[in-house]
Structures are given as structure tokens and as C-alpha cells.
């Protein structure tokens, strides 16, 4: 994986899924694809997460609002499974997912799964023959589904718990900053956009992009440790105040380490993604950033992505004290910072998604009178 590096290598759920799929195909060779999509209730977005498929490019990095897929909404609400013995019926649907699946496979079986009564996602099985899903096969798949769902929950639930713990900590300490909940959602979307654009070059999988998405809102968690007199100061900071303000990066890393130790999360194979987002999103591409003065490719790629996403949203968004910049003004600022503050590839990856950016900004707006 170029650029991503062995630092982030782990035995992923994707690898586990491939092993399960291999075992299933020994008895049912027509079962050609297993895939899992994860649901985010706050945004109503369904993300591709893991898959075992003969075509690695099939529905890569795909996301859709659940409300736009009525058949899946029906499954989510009913909790029932769905068997489609002839996928030709999907060719009349408008969704990209339905059309792609009907072009590549002949029949399918789908199960929703939940945590504490809340929808967490769907498991999809696809076959290359019509009428393939017999009662015997479905009985077998339901057992495998429980195993797959357990693997997913063991990965995703601790992340959600960690994020919730951080959020509760913010609320308890009454952290009040320009970083609203909507800002954090937007930033996660922008990081996802950039990661998807760079996926081929850096070898990002859907699984890794999901972790980037989950961890993005915690980038500035260390600001909890900064006093309100500095954090909320409306004017420019003094040199000493700036020095204190910059300690939020190290404080954030300390908070993560304490959370990991106290709640036994050290085994997370993807925790370095979180640490790199927190620890390096204020590093500058030319080496003049903080806290470590890293330069160029010395900066973890997720930190370079976060730097662009964070500054973009900070500038384009309205604040209680000012109106946001126009899209063109922000783009000009990012372009001017290429090779200085920002990784040029990350800037280019974001700004070539103008339509998606504007959609995100419209869907998750803060309401201020400016």
C-alpha cells in the first residue's frame, strides 16, 4: 500500500470475511459475493464497509442516504430478511446500487442487523444463478450472518463507545467552541471525500475509510484542556496564549491514551488512525506546523487529509461573529497554501468535488444570524 505504509497493517475484518467466503463457496460455489454496509443514524447514510467479491472495484467507496433506498428502509423497519431469486426486477430501480447489483448477479439474500435495537447495517449475499437461495442455504447463511455481525459489532461498537465517551467529556466540561456538532459531521464528510479520491494511490479500503470517518470528529478533543479565557477569546491570542492553545494536540493524545488504558481499548488495530488525526492535523506540509514540525510525507496521510478538511470547513462556514467565505474564496486560499500549509494532493482531491461539497454544506448547516 503506497503511502499508507505497514504502520497501518492489521488483520482486517475484510480478511476475515474472505476466509468465511472461501469456506462457504466450497459447498455453494455459486455464492459469488458477500458485502456489509454500515449505517450512521445521525446522517442517515449507509456506507460500504467490507466485501468479498470477484470484482474488487464493484461498488467501491459507495454511500447513499438510506431514505433513498425504500426497499432497505422497509427491511430496517421490519427486521425481516429479503430473498430475491431473480435480480432482473432491480433493473427498474433508480438507485446506483440496485442497477449495479442486477447487472452483475442473478439472485440475492439480505439481512439487517442491529445493536441495542438500533440499525447498524446490512449483510448482503449475492449469487450468479437465479433461484440460488434454497432453504438449506439460507439456514446456513443465517449462522454465518451472526458470526459476521459479531465481527462488525466487535469493531464498530468500541469506536462508537470511545467517540461517545469523548463527546460526554466535552459536554461535562462545557466545552464551547466554534467546533459545533455540524462542523464535526461536515469535516468527517470532507475527510471521506479526500480519502476516497486518494484511495487508489494510498491503498485505502472501505474499511479504513470508515475508521477515518468515525474518528474525524475527535481531531480537536484536546481543546477540553484549554481554559475558556483562551479558547473563547474573540481577538488575537498573545504569543503565550498561542503556545498554550497549541498544547491541545498533545493533551488530546494524552486523553486518548487514558481512555484506551481505562477502558481496555488498547487492542484496537486501527487506533493509530485516531492518534494520527489528532496528533498531526496541525502539521504544515513545509514543516512549519506543530507539534513536531513534520514535513511532507513525514506527516501521516490522515493528518494531511484532516488539515485540509478542517481549514476548509472553518473558512466556508458561518460563525456567530462572521459570515463564511464563498466557495471560490476558500478554494483560492487552499490553492495558495499548496506545498506550504497543505499537501497539494489533498487540496486537489477536495476541490474537484465541488458539487458534493456544496451538498454536504447544505445538508449539515449551522444556523447563525450573521
Amino acid at each position: 500500500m503506497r503511502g499508507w505504509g505497514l504502520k497501518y497493517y492489521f488483520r482486517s475484518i475484510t480478511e476475515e470475511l474472505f476466509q468465511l467466503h472461501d469456506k462457504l463457496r466450497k459447498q455453494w460455489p455459486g455464492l459469488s459475493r458477500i458485502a456489509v454496509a454500515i449505517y450512521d443514524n445521525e446522517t442517515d447514510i449507509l456506507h460500504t464497509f467490507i466485501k468479498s467479491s470477484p470484482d474488487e472495484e464493484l461498488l467501491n467507496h459507495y454511500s447513499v442516504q438510506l431514505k433513498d433506498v425504500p426497499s432497505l428502509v422497509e427491511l430496517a423497519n421490519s427486521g425481516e430478511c429479503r430473498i430475491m431469486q431473480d435480480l432482473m426486477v432491480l433493473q427498474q430501480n433508480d438507485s446506483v446500487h440496485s442497477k449495479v447489483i442486477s447487472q452483475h448477479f442473478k439472485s440475492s439474500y439480505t439481512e439487517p442487523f442491529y445493536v441495542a435495537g438500533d440499525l447498524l447495517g446490512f449483510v448482503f449475499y449475492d449469487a450468479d444463478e437465479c433461484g440460488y437461495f434454497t432453504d438449506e442455504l439460507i439456514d446456513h447463511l443465517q449462522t454465518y450472518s451472526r458470526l459476521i455481525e459479531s465481527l462488525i459489532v466487535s469493531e464498530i461498537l468500541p469506536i462508537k463507545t470511545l467517540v461517545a465517551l469523548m463527546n460526554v467529556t466535552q459536554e461535562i466540561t462545557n466545552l464551547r467552541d466554534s467546533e459545533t456538532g455540524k462542523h464535526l459531521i461536515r469535516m468527517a464528510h470532507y475527510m471521506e471525500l479526500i480519502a476516497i479520491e486518494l484511495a487508489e494511490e494510498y491503498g485505502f479500503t472501505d474499511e479504513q475509510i470508515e475508521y477515518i470517518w468515525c474518528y474525524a470528529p475527535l481531531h480537536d478533543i484536546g481543546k477540553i484542556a484549554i481554559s475558556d479565557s483562551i479558547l473563547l477569546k474573540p481577538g488575537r491570542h498573545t504569543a503565550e496564549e498561542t503556545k498554550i492553545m497549541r498544547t491541545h494536540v498533545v493533551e488530546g493524545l494524552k486523553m486518548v491514551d487514558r481512555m484506551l488504558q481505562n477502558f481496555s481499548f488498547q487492542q484496537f488495530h486501527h487506533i493509530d488512525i485516531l492518534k494520527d488525526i489528532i496528533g498531526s492535523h496541525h502539521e504544515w506540509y513545509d514543516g512549519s506546523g506543530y507539534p513536531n514540525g513534520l514535513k511532507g510525507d513525514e506527516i501521516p496521510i490522515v493528518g494531511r487529509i484532516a488539515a485540509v478538511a478542517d481549514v476548509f470547513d472553518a473558512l466556508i462556514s458561518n460563525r456567530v461573529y462572521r459570515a463564511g467565505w464563498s466557495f471560490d474564496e476558500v478554494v483560492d486560499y487552499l490553492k495558495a497554501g499548496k506545498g506550504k500549509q497543505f499537501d497539494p494532493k489533498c487540496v486537489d482531491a477536495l476541490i474537484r468535488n465541488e458539487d458534493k461539497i456544496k451538498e454536504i454544506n447544505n445538508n449539515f448547516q449551522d444556523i447563525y444570524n450573521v
Side-chain angles (χ1 to χ4, degrees):
M1 291 182 286
R2 300 188 303 278
W4 191 235
L6 292 177
K7 175 182 181 180
Y8 292 111
Y9 178 76
F10 51 84
R11 183 172 176 80
S12 65
I13 306 179
T14 302
E15 291 171 309
E16 300 282 359
L17 187 68
F18 268 102
Q19 279 202 345
L20 290 175
H21 193 183
D22 285 343
K23 290 179 181 179
L24 277 169
R25 294 194 70 176
K26 289 178 181 178
Q27 187 170 356
W28 287 280
L31 188 66
S32 50
R33 178 178 180 265
I34 306 175
V36 177
I38 297 295
Y39 178 66
D40 181 71
N41 182 65
E42 190 169 5
T43 60
D44 189 48
I45 289 178
L46 195 66
H47 297 261
T48 57
F49 182 49
I50 58 172
K51 63 179 181 295
S52 172
S53 170
D55 183 355
E56 293 185 2
E57 300 303 314
L58 184 65
L59 289 174
N60 252 7
H61 319 310
Y62 179 72
S63 63
V64 64
Q65 286 201 287
L66 184 60
K67 67 179 178 61
D68 294 330
V69 190
S71 60
L72 292 183
V73 172
E74 184 178 346
L75 285 187
N77 291 336
S78 69
E80 297 178 356
C81 303
R82 181 183 68 184
I83 305 167
M84 301 189 72
Q85 299 288 22
D86 187 350
L87 292 179
M88 286 292 291
V89 298
L90 292 180
Q91 293 187 8
Q92 306 302 317
N93 290 12
D94 292 331
S95 72
V96 173
H97 173 269
S98 295
K99 290 181 178 179
V100 170
I101 291 300
S102 64
Q103 289 169 0
H104 286 79
F105 306 105
K106 302 297 185 182
S107 57
S108 73
Y109 172 67
T110 305
E111 287 192 40
F113 62 99
Y114 308 81
V115 170
D118 295 326
L119 179 69
L120 185 57
F122 297 89
V123 182
F124 303 93
Y125 300 93
D126 300 302
D128 52 18
E129 299 176 22
C130 289
Y132 194 75
F133 291 92
T134 63
D135 291 343
E136 180 187 4
L137 174 54
I138 290 171
D139 285 344
H140 206 76
L141 291 181
Q142 287 176 342
T143 300
Y144 272 76
S145 292
R146 301 295 83 75
L147 178 56
I148 292 169
E149 290 161 16
S150 295
L151 288 171
I152 301 297
V153 170
S154 69
E155 289 290 314
I156 297 298
L157 191 57
I159 295 176
K160 289 182 177 290
T161 301
L162 181 61
V163 173
L165 286 169
M166 294 292 194
N167 289 339
V168 168
T169 303
Q170 285 186 239
E171 293 171 7
I172 291 173
T173 56
N174 295 314
L175 176 62
R176 303 186 63 83
D177 187 23
S178 60
E179 299 204 342
T180 64
K182 294 293 179 65
H183 160 73
L184 301 179
I185 292 173
R186 291 191 301 266
M187 183 183 168
H189 276 289
Y190 297 143
M191 286 193 68
E192 179 189 35
L193 280 180
I194 298 171
I196 289 172
E197 286 289 320
L198 300 179
E200 182 175 354
E201 179 171 359
Y202 288 95
F204 294 137
T205 65
D206 284 342
E207 184 178 346
Q208 290 164 333
I209 291 172
E210 183 71 18
Y211 298 139
I212 292 172
W213 156 273
C214 288
Y215 287 138
L218 300 181
H219 66 288
D220 268 343
I221 192 66
K223 285 184 176 179
I224 291 172
I226 308 300
S227 68
D228 284 355
S229 62
I230 295 175
L231 184 66
L232 305 181
K233 183 177 178 179
R236 294 177 65 86
H237 290 123
T238 66
E240 182 60 26
E241 288 170 338
T242 297
K243 183 178 179 181
I244 294 172
M245 186 70 179
R246 289 184 172 186
T247 64
H248 79 273
V249 173
V250 174
E251 293 297 332
L253 292 173
K254 289 179 181 177
M255 289 177 189
V256 170
D257 284 338
R258 286 196 291 270
M259 291 284 189
L260 295 177
Q261 183 176 2
N262 291 337
F263 293 93
S264 302
F265 290 159
Q266 299 97 323
Q267 75 278 9
F268 283 3
H269 51 243
H270 41 71
I271 202 65
D272 280 344
I273 297 175
L274 171 60
K275 290 184 175 181
D276 284 344
I277 289 173
I278 293 173
S280 61
H281 74 281
H282 283 297
E283 300 286 359
W284 282 35
Y285 199 71
D286 65 3
S288 62
Y290 66 92
N292 297 312
L294 302 179
K295 183 178 182 179
D297 289 347
E298 294 173 353
I299 307 168
I301 182 58
V302 291
R304 285 178 266 156
I305 292 172
V308 173
D310 189 29
V311 171
F312 177 87
D313 192 68
L315 294 178
I316 205 169
S317 301
N318 291 329
R319 294 289 180 256
V320 291
Y321 51 85
R322 65 155 174 84
W325 293 13
S326 71
F327 178 83
D328 290 339
E329 287 173 328
V330 180
V331 167
D332 287 343
Y333 181 88
L334 294 180
K335 286 181 176 178
K338 288 168 62 172
K340 299 174 185 177
Q341 183 174 358
F342 308 115
D343 181 338
K345 291 180 181 179
C346 293
V347 172
D348 292 341
L350 180 66
I351 64 179
R352 61 174 165 254
N353 282 280
E354 180 176 353
D355 290 343
K356 292 180 180 178
I357 288 170
K358 291 180 177 178
E359 181 180 356
I360 292 166
N361 210 32
N362 289 333
N363 288 343
F364 305 103
Q365 286 188 352
D366 296 299
I367 300 175
Y368 294 120
N369 294 317
V370 295

